Amino acid sequence: PSVLDSFALLSGQLNTLNKVLKNEKTPLLRNQVIIPLVLSPDRDEEIMRQTEGRVPVFSHEVVPDHLRTKPDPEVEEQEKQLITDAARISPDAAQKQIQSLNKMCSNLLEKISKEERESESGGLRQNKQTFNPADTNALVAAVAFGKGLSNRRPPGSGASVQSGQPGAGAIIAGASGMQQVPMTGAPAQQQPMLAGVQMAQAGQPGKV
């Protein structure tokens, strides 16, 4: 019974407090001044948690800054000067300045968005693949190792070789840049030529 009586008393007090706070005549708590009652130079974990690690202690050093309700005197002077200057401007001039400022902001936003679009499109172009890896690998293999190339010779490449010479078809027609070497055992005028390379007649050994 004592617990129930205490609970009923607390419940009634909480209801009364909620009614008072919800009343239209009650001022907002955010507009009230906070007075520090306890100041300590020691680290306070609860304050650390509530301020997300910005205020480790609630001491005499930080209280004037965090509970300040008015700006610094220098800032107050600047605000007064700005208010005075704004009061001197006519409504038409103020409207023109507002329009020009809005125009400048719009142009700046357009430039920023354009730069973002160009950077995104440039990144897409850089990431886009402009070649086929399979074709590249096939080309490198053909140039380096001769993979995939045909072994057939074009027709007519050995037409100038005399019929009585064995092994004449094995001479490449593109060897015209090779140095001529005289053949042993046969005169040079009797040695037939094929693309600048001297060949031995049939039955006569020789070397290129």
Side-chain angles (χ1 to χ4, degrees):
S2 61
V3 174
L4 291 177
D5 293 341
S6 301
F7 180 79
L9 180 62
L10 290 174
S11 178
Q13 291 180 352
L14 287 174
N15 290 331
T16 305
L17 181 60
N18 286 331
K19 289 180 181 178
V20 171
L21 293 176
K22 292 180 180 179
N23 192 2
E24 297 179 356
K25 296 181 180 180
T26 302
L28 296 176
L29 294 179
R30 70 183 62 183
N31 296 332
Q32 303 301 313
V33 178
I34 299 177
I35 302 175
L37 300 179
V38 178
L39 299 179
S40 174
D42 299 332
R43 183 184 179 90
D44 194 339
E45 297 296 335
E46 182 65 20
I47 293 179
M48 282 283 293
R49 185 183 62 81
Q50 293 180 357
T51 59
E52 298 179 355
R54 293 188 297 270
V55 182
V57 295
F58 199 64
S59 61
H60 297 78
E61 183 179 359
V62 299
V63 163
D65 295 331
H66 290 283
L67 300 184
R68 183 191 300 272
T69 58
K70 294 178 62 178
D72 293 334
E74 295 82 3
V75 178
E76 284 187 348
E77 291 296 330
Q78 293 179 2
E79 287 185 353
K80 289 180 181 179
Q81 184 66 29
L82 291 175
I83 293 173
T84 305
D85 296 340
R88 296 176 183 174
I89 301 175
S90 62
D92 296 338
Q95 189 66 26
K96 290 181 180 178
Q97 291 183 3
I98 292 172
Q99 292 177 358
S100 62
L101 180 60
N102 290 335
K103 186 176 180 181
M104 291 173 60
C105 294
S106 302
N107 294 335
L108 184 59
L109 289 175
E110 289 179 0
K111 290 182 178 179
I112 293 174
S113 60
K114 183 178 180 182
E115 290 292 336
E116 290 179 352
R117 289 194 300 268
E118 290 180 355
S119 62
E120 290 177 358
S121 61
L124 292 177
R125 284 196 300 268
Q126 290 179 359
N127 296 332
K128 186 178 179 181
Q129 194 171 10
T130 58
F131 64 94
N132 190 353
D135 294 344
T136 304
N137 295 333
L139 182 60
V140 171
V143 172
F145 308 108
K147 183 179 180 181
L149 299 181
S150 177
N151 294 327
R152 293 180 299 177
R153 303 182 185 280
S157 60
S160 60
V161 181
Q162 297 181 1
S163 59
Q165 298 173 353
I171 304 299
I172 301 176
S176 60
M178 297 177 63
Q179 183 180 3
Q180 296 182 3
V181 180
M183 308 300 292
T184 59
Q189 60 271 15
Q190 294 179 1
Q191 297 176 0
M193 300 292 296
L194 175 62
V197 180
Q198 295 183 353
M199 298 180 57
Q201 294 182 356
Q204 295 181 354
K207 61 180 178 178
V208 178

